[in-house]
Amino acid sequence: MLNPPVVSAFLPPRRILMGPGPSDVYPQVLAAQSRPTIGHLDPLFIGMMDELKSLLQYAFQTKNDMTLAVSAPGSAGMETCFVNLLEPGDTVIVCRNGVFGDRMRQNVERCGAEAIVVDNAWGEPVDPHAVEAALVANPKAKYLAFVHAETSTGALSDAKTLCALARKFGCLSIVDAVTSLGGVELKVDEWGIDAIYSGSQKCLSCVPGLSPVSFSPAAVEKIKQRKTVVQSWFLDQSLVMNYWSGGAKRSYHHTAPVNTLYALHESLRLLAQEGLENAWQRHRDMHKILKQELQRLGLEFVVAEESRLPQLNTVYIPKGVDDAAIRKQLLVQYNLEIGAGLGEFAGKAWRIGLMGYAARRENIVLCIKALENVLA
Amino acid sequence: MLNPPVVSAFLPPRRILMGPGPSDVYPQVLAAQSRPTIGHLDPLFIGMMDELKSLLQYAFQTKNDMTLAVSAPGSAGMETCFVNLLEPGDTVIVCRNGVFGDRMRQNVERCGAEAIVVDNAWGEPVDPHAVEAALVANPKAKYLAFVHAETSTGALSDAKTLCALARKFGCLSIVDAVTSLGGVELKVDEWGIDAIYSGSQKCLSCVPGLSPVSFSPAAVEKIKQRKTVVQSWFLDQSLVMNYWSGGAKRSYHHTAPVNTLYALHESLRLLAQEGLENAWQRHRDMHKILKQELQRLGLEFVVAEESRLPQLNTVYIPKGVDDAAIRKQLLVQYNLEIGAGLGEFAGKAWRIGLMGYAARRENIVLCIKALENVLA
């Protein structure tokens, strides 16, 4: 027998999370998560799941019946959308203006489909004209996929216009709303989004690990008409929906992550209590204050003002400043986490999040004063 | 704008979970889970992950470097093993003596590989002679896949013998240990298991949502030699390993389910503290008491004594007894959950779990007295 390692209980400090996610988690959410685990087929749990579905529909602003939380992080939500909709040989227009657009491309290719990539520079939004040109040039395209709020750059794209374009050319839209849900305006039904996924750990200020998704009736129809079986058993929505929509006759698919779902229920309940429009406004208000303060410190934004995400502020690292050393100082001396740059921006930019519960005055004060001190 | 639903906080009761999982969760695990969320790239979090890996290696009794927890439930752990190892056209011998053996077959086929199914009756263990015959008859087979502890029936198969057979015929073994890990003897290195997956919510008595997995050096070599890309981006271990094994240079793959990993760390720490062999013995001891009491009530076991799982006791429902009504009475009147039958045993059997923290004298007393009352 191998010997047991001697390990103490892990007692993490209280950090202030102002990176690109996970964001600060509501204390109420942590409390909800630690409530007693009950069975995933317990009638009380099923009642909770019904509430959760209506809360998700509210957050997404949709009446889509196929609205649920995938039992895994946002990347699995992305994969859920692609593997359920795409079939081998399909053509997909994929917009790429950061890490997550490229991840979409990889998903498309792993489904045996063809990705036509529309590139925009990192830090810029997706250009609808370029997308229209790609749609014109590729009449066989069945889907248009893009990232609403690019977590790697802080750029917001015009989802409403892009979805209208998709519809005009007979395509279904697949939208990454990992960083946008709860932080900026997002209206699934009004904008005609067909498949959308998000993450629990951004503007919902829930713990990481779940991915809210929603499929329009047209997307559901596409899934029903598939000629090939979905390549993933775990993410096959035709199986999962028997659990989420079965009502009293719910059938077992996999064991739901019970306690994490308690947490999501609570975070969405807090969002509903605040009101979506109020939450969007709060993110704008807090961004405005942070922006002024960052500019006062001489930090320059990567993204142009009109497409800047209020909840994710990407600024260039001043010349001569040691990226890693500064972030370490913030973490060790102030328990403050800000995000490093990702991909093209690694070592060149910081990402300062104001997501969900993190978007508060006291956090801004701390962040600015701490930055001022460590940059001095 | 759609209106927000009016939803109260969800306050689940304290149930006693004696079904097939989720099992009773250690109070220490619920407490660990509710500690402050920190970033998934925080040095303190990475230190916790290193400990978690050594705790998983202990639980599996392996030195495999590729030992980690998939950020999703056991079904995703199953899929992780199949999609990373299999390539289209591969032949796999799949043993089926319950629901989960058949799920393995579905996974094999969704990888574009061929499943040669070896059937055994539900409630029986996998028959090594039948497996040997299949290995002889299918010299092209590259893998042997089987379920160590069938959660749908309560039968334990002889993993040591089956893995030796796989090796003898040049196959790698893929083992489902969802219900066995922590509950019965399991020695990954000594038995020569090549790929194994489990779940957090059974004998580890952690919350549901994570799937411990481990790959032998031979399995890792197979993954490295793949000619085709893994069909799942989320489950692609060549990408995930950069996060789990990268040490200080860990690279981002997906946002780890931070708080659920705290919970798993704590549950494995408690297992290491008790000692694996003591935990196995406790499950046997508690099973012995429960067995005597169930037999006193006239309930008959589905599985023969020599292949009966101590942690999952499947008994026939007495003639004339209303299955659903009895389980509902136990739940409503006693806050006690026992499991329904699954698949062939739906409506015919109950599954009474004694998993991890649930395997305690006080639970047995309650379960027997409650059953006695509601069956009277």
Side-chain angles (χ1 to χ4, degrees):
Chain A
M1 293 287 293
L2 302 175
N3 289 327
V6 179
V7 170
S8 308
F10 181 62
L11 303 170
R14 167 86 179 89
R15 305 285 205 205
I16 294 96
L17 300 178
M18 297 181 72
S23 64
D24 265 8
V25 174
Y26 286 107
Q28 299 96 312
V29 166
L30 289 176
Q33 194 190 18
S34 69
R35 295 201 178 110
T37 309
I38 64 175
H40 59 289
L41 295 169
D42 191 310
L44 294 177
F45 186 72
I46 287 170
M48 194 281 295
M49 295 282 271
D50 288 337
E51 291 179 353
L52 184 49
K53 181 171 163 178
S54 70
L55 288 162
L56 284 170
Q57 287 171 324
Y58 171 68
F60 276 130
Q61 287 289 295
T62 184
K63 291 179 177 166
N64 287 342
D65 182 53
M66 201 161 175
T67 301
L68 55 98
V70 173
S71 304
S75 318
M78 178 190 286
E79 192 160 323
T80 298
C81 290
F82 287 101
V83 296
N84 281 279
L85 287 169
L86 272 50
E87 296 197 73
D90 282 351
T91 301
V92 185
I93 312 276
V94 178
C95 307
R96 178 170 63 182
N97 61 337
V99 164
F100 296 95
D102 192 64
R103 188 172 296 179
M104 282 180 147
R105 176 193 61 78
Q106 293 176 51
N107 268 273
V108 168
E109 292 173 356
R110 286 178 194 230
C111 293
E114 190 196 5
I116 308 286
V117 176
V118 176
D119 270 310
N120 277 101
W122 282 51
E124 286 180 13
V126 173
D127 175 11
H129 297 104
V131 170
E132 183 155 19
L135 285 162
V136 168
N138 295 279
K140 284 201 310 186
K142 289 185 178 170
Y143 301 95
L144 171 66
F146 67 89
V147 179
H148 187 207
E150 240 309 337
T151 318
S152 60
T153 69
L156 177 69
S157 289
D158 182 353
K160 189 178 176 178
T161 298
L162 293 171
C163 289
L165 272 176
R167 229 175 11 263
K168 183 176 158 191
F169 287 86
C171 287
L172 297 189
S173 52
I174 301 176
V175 180
D176 179 320
V178 169
T179 285
S180 60
L181 182 67
V184 288
E185 189 183 27
L186 172 61
K187 296 177 173 174
V188 168
D189 285 0
E190 198 182 309
W191 296 353
I193 294 173
D194 291 297
I196 190 165
Y197 58 90
S198 187
S200 50
Q201 81 284 12
K202 309 277 182 181
C203 295
L204 301 182
S205 282
C206 179
V207 293
L210 293 175
S211 178
V213 297
S214 186
F215 294 88
S216 73
V220 171
E221 196 48 38
K222 205 88 165 183
I223 294 173
K224 284 185 182 158
Q225 302 296 330
R226 288 183 69 91
K227 292 188 184 70
T228 55
V229 72
V230 171
Q231 65 197 37
S232 168
W233 186 91
F234 175 58
L235 301 175
D236 185 340
Q237 295 304 287
S238 65
L239 304 175
V240 172
M241 279 309 280
N242 291 329
Y243 180 70
W244 275 83
S245 284
K249 287 203 78 77
R250 250 157 235 259
S251 69
Y252 163 74
H253 177 256
H254 63 269
T255 304
V258 174
N259 292 67
T260 318
L261 288 163
Y262 294 169
L264 184 62
H265 179 276
E266 182 64 12
S267 68
L268 290 166
R269 204 181 69 78
L270 293 169
L271 178 63
Q273 206 167 61
E274 178 177 14
L276 259 181
E277 286 162 307
N278 294 332
W280 298 339
Q281 186 62 48
R282 175 168 54 84
H283 283 93
R284 281 194 299 266
D285 291 345
M286 293 301 111
H287 163 72
K288 211 167 157 184
I289 301 171
L290 181 73
K291 180 185 71 175
Q292 283 166 351
E293 293 291 303
L294 288 172
Q295 286 171 341
R296 186 175 61 77
L297 297 188
L299 294 166
E300 279 174 50
F301 275 84
V302 166
V303 178
E305 183 134 24
E306 63 275 15
S307 50
R308 208 175 276 168
L309 283 170
Q311 67 270 44
L312 190 56
N313 299 267
T314 310
V315 290
Y316 288 109
I317 300 170
K319 289 219 163 60
V321 164
D322 183 338
D323 171 23
I326 291 289
R327 285 187 291 107
K328 190 179 171 184
Q329 268 184 283
L330 292 174
L331 195 65
V332 172
Q333 296 175 7
Y334 299 90
N335 273 308
L336 172 66
E337 181 179 273
I338 66 167
L342 194 60
E344 284 191 16
F345 291 138
K348 293 181 189 157
W350 288 320
R351 291 177 295 161
I352 303 177
L354 282 175
M355 296 182 174
Y357 179 61
R360 304 195 311 283
R361 292 295 292 265
E362 58 267 44
N363 281 5
I364 296 173
V365 166
L366 167 73
C367 177
I368 293 297
K369 193 63 196 164
L371 263 177
E372 204 164 11
N373 291 351
V374 297
L375 286 173
Chain B
M1 292 289 291
L2 302 175
N3 288 326
V6 180
V7 170
S8 308
F10 181 61
L11 303 170
R14 167 85 179 90
R15 305 286 204 203
I16 295 97
L17 300 178
M18 297 180 73
S23 64
D24 266 8
V25 173
Y26 286 107
Q28 299 96 312
V29 166
L30 290 176
Q33 194 190 19
S34 69
R35 295 200 178 111
T37 308
I38 64 175
H40 58 289
L41 296 170
D42 191 309
L44 294 178
F45 186 72
I46 287 171
M48 194 282 295
M49 295 284 270
D50 288 337
E51 290 180 351
L52 184 49
K53 181 171 163 180
S54 70
L55 287 163
L56 284 170
Q57 287 171 322
Y58 171 68
F60 276 131
Q61 287 289 296
T62 184
K63 291 180 177 166
N64 287 342
D65 181 54
M66 201 164 176
T67 300
L68 55 98
V70 173
S71 304
S75 318
M78 179 189 287
E79 193 160 323
T80 298
C81 290
F82 286 101
V83 296
N84 281 280
L85 286 170
L86 272 50
E87 295 197 75
D90 281 352
T91 301
V92 184
I93 310 276
V94 178
C95 307
R96 177 169 65 183
N97 60 338
V99 164
F100 296 94
D102 193 63
R103 188 171 296 179
M104 283 180 147
R105 175 194 60 80
Q106 293 176 51
N107 268 276
V108 168
E109 291 173 357
R110 286 177 193 231
C111 293
E114 189 195 4
I116 307 286
V117 177
V118 176
D119 270 309
N120 277 102
W122 282 50
E124 286 180 12
V126 173
D127 174 10
H129 297 104
V131 170
E132 181 153 21
L135 286 162
V136 169
N138 296 280
K140 284 201 309 187
K142 289 185 179 169
Y143 300 95
L144 170 67
F146 66 89
V147 179
H148 187 206
E150 238 310 336
T151 320
S152 61
T153 69
L156 176 70
S157 290
D158 181 353
K160 188 178 177 180
T161 298
L162 293 170
C163 289
L165 272 176
R167 228 176 11 265
K168 183 176 158 191
F169 287 86
C171 287
L172 297 189
S173 51
I174 301 177
V175 180
D176 178 320
V178 170
T179 286
S180 60
L181 183 67
V184 289
E185 188 182 28
L186 172 63
K187 295 177 172 175
V188 168
D189 286 0
E190 196 181 311
W191 297 353
I193 294 173
D194 292 297
I196 190 165
Y197 58 90
S198 188
S200 50
Q201 81 285 11
K202 309 277 183 180
C203 296
L204 301 181
S205 282
C206 179
V207 294
L210 293 175
S211 178
V213 297
S214 185
F215 294 88
S216 73
V220 171
E221 197 46 40
K222 204 89 167 184
I223 293 173
K224 284 187 183 157
Q225 302 296 330
R226 286 184 69 93
K227 291 189 184 70
T228 56
V229 71
V230 171
Q231 64 196 39
S232 168
W233 187 91
F234 175 57
L235 301 176
D236 186 338
Q237 294 305 288
S238 66
L239 305 175
V240 172
M241 279 311 282
N242 291 330
Y243 180 69
W244 276 83
S245 283
K249 286 203 80 74
R250 251 157 234 256
S251 69
Y252 164 72
H253 176 255
H254 64 268
T255 304
V258 175
N259 292 67
T260 318
L261 288 163
Y262 294 169
L264 184 62
H265 178 275
E266 181 64 13
S267 68
L268 289 166
R269 205 181 68 79
L270 293 169
L271 178 64
Q273 208 167 59
E274 178 176 15
L276 259 180
E277 286 163 305
N278 294 332
W280 298 340
Q281 186 63 47
R282 176 169 53 84
H283 282 93
R284 280 194 298 267
D285 292 344
M286 292 302 111
H287 163 72
K288 210 166 156 185
I289 301 171
L290 180 74
K291 179 184 74 174
Q292 283 166 351
E293 292 292 301
L294 288 171
Q295 287 172 339
R296 187 176 60 76
L297 297 186
L299 294 166
E300 278 174 52
F301 276 83
V302 166
V303 177
E305 183 135 22
E306 62 274 16
S307 50
R308 210 175 273 168
L309 283 169
Q311 67 270 44
L312 190 55
N313 298 267
T314 309
V315 290
Y316 288 109
I317 300 170
K319 288 218 165 61
V321 165
D322 183 338
D323 171 24
I326 290 289
R327 284 187 291 107
K328 190 179 171 185
Q329 268 184 282
L330 292 174
L331 195 65
V332 172
Q333 296 175 7
Y334 297 90
N335 273 308
L336 172 67
E337 181 177 272
I338 65 167
L342 193 60
E344 283 191 17
F345 292 138
K348 293 182 190 157
W350 288 321
R351 291 177 296 161
I352 303 177
L354 281 175
M355 295 180 175
Y357 180 61
R360 304 195 312 281
R361 291 294 293 265
E362 57 267 45
N363 281 5
I364 296 174
V365 166
L366 167 73
C367 177
I368 292 297
K369 192 62 195 166
L371 263 176
E372 204 164 12
N373 291 352
V374 297
L375 286 172

